[in-house]
Amino acid sequence: MIDNRLEEKIVELKGKYPQKESALMPALMLAQNANENFLSKEDIDRVAGLVGVPSGKAYGVTTYYTMYNAKKVGKYHLQVDTNIPATLMGALDIVEHLEKRLGIRVGETTPDGLFTLSKVECLGSCGTCPVIQVNDVYYENMTPEKTDALLESLKNGVLPEKKVDYHYGTACNVLLKNRGVENSTSIDTYKRGGGYQALAKASQMDPQEIVQAVKDAGIRGRGGAGFPAGVKWGFLAKDTGKPVYLVCNADEGEPGTFKDRQIMEYDPHLLVEGMAISARALGAKLAFIYIRGEFGWIADILEKAIDEAKADGQLADVDIIVHRGAGAYVCGEETALIESIEGKRGQPRMKPPFPAVAGLYGCPTIVNNVETLASVPFVIKHGADEFKKWGSENNYGFKLFGISGAVNKPGVYEYPMGVPFSELIEAAGGYKGNIKAAIVGGLSTPILKAEELKTLKMDYDSCEKHGTALGSGGIMVISDEFSIPELALRTIEFYAHESCGKCALCKEGSHTVVLILRKLLSGFGQMKDLEACERIVNTINFGGSTLCPTGQAFAAPIKTMVEKFRDEFVALIK
């Protein structure tokens, strides 16, 4: 039921955006939160009317994103991350434990309506798995004992306080500078450590000087593609008579990736300062942080930091809106993200035109990753040459690496580009067990066998020479306890679930590979099935076969899993 107070909030929300349709997704979430985590058809219709969009569009958006509940769930919705990093760290044991304790299967609700149990995709908590999300609250590093205590508390009507311990380390002391510092999210703490000095310097610079400094530093996009940020800024359409927008991609949905949340959760003003400087360089008066919807508490931290920065006079020339997603991996692709901000189903656009020419609301738009934007203050304050003291040509600067799986201290580590893989593993407490393989750039990058890791350096060039990609720097270490065919199935199940359905090769290809791998793992597969799997992924892995990289994102890892561990797949054929 949407009461008068909620109606007023939705109308106020609509006024924040240049176009009213952008208020649709946050308005739907407000309505769901006010109605016991459920969106009735009546609520959807009412939200549509308040925002000013057709009911059919609102319903289409509701059914596209996974965080909207058009069907009733229990008072406490227990959602267990079972993606690859979670599986490597015991999540399936937690699911089995919950099923036994609650007397229900995944997808069911207890007879008293108290609990609904679901398996979900990556929650961006790879270093602190297993994780259970209860409604919108994360409980991390879960064990059967902690799970029992959580259930007892919920039965008594109490959501326990969220507590978590992270492993982290830094050899550069830039992006993780304030990790471990008391009250690190406040503007006073940030300014005591030199915060906003770079913005003050940038305010005295010509915008083109800022762009040139970022070009000279050679910062490559830290979201996964590795495209030079300064070059991307240079593509921005000039003198169009339209507003320019800056968008920070904080969706962080790539399995194995959990680095950006460290910046936003513990040093939000670093991102705010980076965005303010970048907005000045681009001539943007309005900027957006598109954050994955599951990170609700982090969105609150960012909004508080923005309010503090405004009150301190730091955002006199730009406003920043935190826009929450609602669960869609493909929104990590920049045009799908833009569609989502515009209040649509997050599906990729045809390119060209590229966002730098016609992006958000049809205006020139630059989309950069959290880590990329958070690196800008260092470059402006200290200069490009200082930034380039780390790394080597084509691979300059510092980088965050998220390490999960079979290591003793899974967490986020800040090291220079080009750091030996072995040094990162040492920082993460060393291997746990006998190592079979690793995925080093997020789930969408090709797998490497244990012997290949011995000579690997973590930069773009070394990864390419080893037949993989640096990607987001999300490292998943796989021990010999795990079957590669089973991990391949879990990988393709994720991408089949997350395919937006716009490209037939991606949608039908991913679902076909799921069926083939299930058949092989059930003992009914034949050699022709394995060969069919290889044909499909080889076809999709050819560049340009799909609108966005999601097709190649599953084709590349499945292809190399089959090639490098073919004996494990052949052994399934009887």
Side-chain angles (χ1 to χ4, degrees):
M1 180 66 68
I2 297 178
D3 59 20
N4 291 337
R5 183 178 297 180
L6 185 55
E7 286 186 0
E8 290 173 3
K9 282 186 178 180
I10 291 173
V11 172
E12 181 183 350
L13 186 65
K14 187 169 64 170
K16 286 175 52 177
Y17 292 93
Q19 294 187 9
K20 63 185 181 182
E21 293 85 357
S22 291
L24 177 59
M25 287 177 61
L28 285 168
M29 192 57 71
L30 282 175
Q32 177 169 288
N33 292 340
N35 193 29
E36 297 181 341
N37 212 19
F38 170 61
L39 276 172
S40 67
K41 186 178 183 304
E42 293 73 22
D43 287 336
I44 296 170
D45 288 342
R46 186 66 187 126
V47 168
L50 289 166
V51 174
V53 300
S55 292
K57 177 177 180 177
Y59 189 77
V61 167
T62 301
T63 54
Y64 180 79
Y65 296 95
T66 60
M67 289 182 66
Y68 296 126
N69 297 319
K71 295 181 179 179
K72 284 194 173 183
V73 295
K75 180 179 179 181
Y76 300 115
H77 191 185
L78 308 179
Q79 301 158 91
V80 186
D81 177 350
T82 60
N83 210 285
I84 296 297
T87 294
L88 295 174
M89 297 169 73
L92 297 181
D93 294 336
I94 297 297
V95 172
E96 184 179 350
H97 185 76
L98 282 166
E99 287 182 326
K100 288 179 180 178
R101 281 297 312 272
L102 298 175
I104 58 174
R105 307 286 292 176
V106 169
E108 296 178 346
T109 300
T110 54
D112 60 4
L114 196 59
F115 298 106
T116 295
L117 178 61
S118 299
K119 289 197 295 187
V120 296
E121 298 300 347
C122 186
L123 291 173
S125 184
C126 314
T128 47
C129 289
V131 55
I132 303 173
Q133 184 182 16
V134 182
N135 299 342
D136 58 355
V137 180
Y138 277 31
Y139 296 96
E140 300 170 274
N141 292 320
M142 296 302 287
T143 63
E145 294 74 23
K146 288 181 180 179
T147 301
D148 288 342
L150 174 62
L151 291 178
E152 288 306 310
S153 182
L154 296 176
K155 287 176 182 177
N156 291 323
V158 177
L159 269 169
E161 183 183 353
K162 180 184 181 296
K163 295 179 180 179
V164 65
D165 291 321
Y166 295 96
H167 295 297
Y168 65 92
T170 177
C172 305
N173 205 37
V174 179
L175 299 174
L176 296 185
K177 175 182 177 181
N178 285 327
R179 276 297 268 117
V181 175
E182 187 177 355
N183 202 22
S184 65
T185 62
S186 80
I187 193 169
D188 291 337
T189 300
Y190 185 66
K191 290 177 72 175
R192 278 198 298 272
Y196 289 110
Q197 291 178 4
L199 178 58
K201 181 179 178 181
S203 67
Q204 303 302 312
M205 296 170 66
D206 182 81
Q208 191 54 42
E209 286 184 82
I210 302 172
V211 174
Q212 191 60 50
V214 172
K215 280 185 180 179
D216 291 344
I219 302 176
R220 296 179 64 170
R222 302 304 202 225
F227 193 82
V231 175
K232 188 176 190 178
W233 290 7
F235 292 155
L236 193 72
K238 307 291 193 300
D239 303 322
T240 65
K242 297 178 180 179
V244 171
Y245 296 109
L246 171 65
V247 178
C248 172
N249 185 345
D251 193 56
E252 193 154 64
E254 174 80 0
T257 309
F258 54 106
K259 62 183 180 66
D260 291 341
R261 65 177 283 192
Q262 298 294 311
I263 295 170
M264 296 185 290
E265 191 171 2
Y266 295 101
D267 204 358
H269 283 281
L270 179 62
L271 175 59
V272 172
E273 184 176 18
M275 291 187 70
I277 295 169
S278 302
R280 174 170 174 76
L282 301 168
K285 300 300 182 183
L286 181 60
F288 294 82
I289 300 174
Y290 183 97
I291 187 168
R292 63 180 300 172
E294 295 90 344
F295 286 173
W297 81 98
I298 301 178
D300 292 341
I301 290 170
L302 288 169
E303 287 176 338
K304 182 180 178 182
I306 291 166
D307 288 343
E308 287 182 335
K310 286 179 181 177
D312 196 55
Q314 303 295 341
L315 299 180
D317 298 321
V318 63
D319 193 12
I320 301 174
I321 294 175
V322 178
H323 187 92
R324 306 181 191 211
Y329 166 79
V330 75
C331 287
E333 192 277 334
E334 61 181 4
T335 64
L337 181 155
I338 287 169
E339 289 279 292
S340 189
I341 293 178
E342 292 180 356
K344 304 170 187 174
R345 295 160 71 95
Q347 295 181 307
R349 296 174 177 175
M350 288 284 291
K351 292 185 286 189
F354 290 89
V357 175
L360 186 61
Y361 310 129
C363 300
T365 304
I366 293 295
V367 182
N368 285 131
N369 165 262
V370 171
E371 186 182 353
T372 308
L373 292 167
S375 300
V376 170
F378 182 92
V379 171
I380 298 304
K381 183 176 180 179
H382 299 283
D385 289 342
E386 197 68 23
F387 180 82
K388 292 165 80 170
K389 286 183 178 179
W390 283 294
S392 58
E393 186 175 357
N394 201 42
N395 299 279
Y396 290 120
F398 34 80
K399 177 83 183 78
L400 295 181
F401 299 95
I403 308 175
S404 60
V407 293
N408 289 302
K409 294 167 61 179
V412 174
Y413 298 87
E414 181 185 20
Y415 272 77
M417 290 281 281
V419 59
F421 183 81
S422 58
E423 189 174 333
L424 282 178
I425 295 301
E426 184 179 347
Y431 290 130
K432 184 186 289 184
N434 296 315
I435 302 308
K436 177 186 285 189
I439 299 167
V440 301
L443 189 58
S444 61
T445 57
I447 195 169
L448 295 179
K449 300 183 82 168
E451 54 266 31
E452 296 177 284
L453 300 169
K454 295 176 181 177
T455 55
L456 178 68
K457 293 183 178 181
M458 292 302 290
D459 62 29
Y460 297 102
D461 294 342
S462 181
C463 284
E464 185 177 351
K465 287 177 183 176
H466 282 73
T468 189
L470 181 66
S472 62
I475 298 168
M476 292 161 276
V477 179
I478 303 164
S479 75
D480 60 6
E481 296 177 18
F482 291 91
S483 152
I484 297 299
E486 289 179 0
L487 294 181
L489 174 59
R490 189 64 193 88
T491 298
I492 196 61
E493 285 176 337
F494 166 73
Y495 287 106
H497 178 271
E498 295 296 337
S499 174
C500 76
K502 198 167 186 177
C503 301
L505 272 176
C506 179
K507 177 186 176 184
E508 303 301 334
S510 60
H511 283 279
T512 301
V513 174
V514 167
L515 294 175
I516 290 172
L517 291 181
R518 285 178 180 170
K519 185 178 180 183
L520 287 168
L521 285 162
S522 66
F524 295 100
Q526 301 177 42
M527 186 58 70
K528 65 180 183 180
D529 296 312
L530 184 57
E531 291 169 352
C533 174
E534 291 179 295
R535 281 198 304 274
I536 292 169
V537 297
N538 285 336
T539 299
I540 297 172
N541 196 47
F542 185 77
S545 60
T546 54
L547 273 177
C548 82
T550 301
Q552 286 180 285
F554 73 74
I558 299 298
K559 179 179 185 291
T560 52
M561 287 179 187
V562 174
E563 287 176 351
K564 295 184 178 184
F565 297 91
R566 190 177 181 84
D567 56 335
E568 291 192 34
F569 290 86
V570 172
L572 299 171
I573 299 171
K574 299 177 182 178

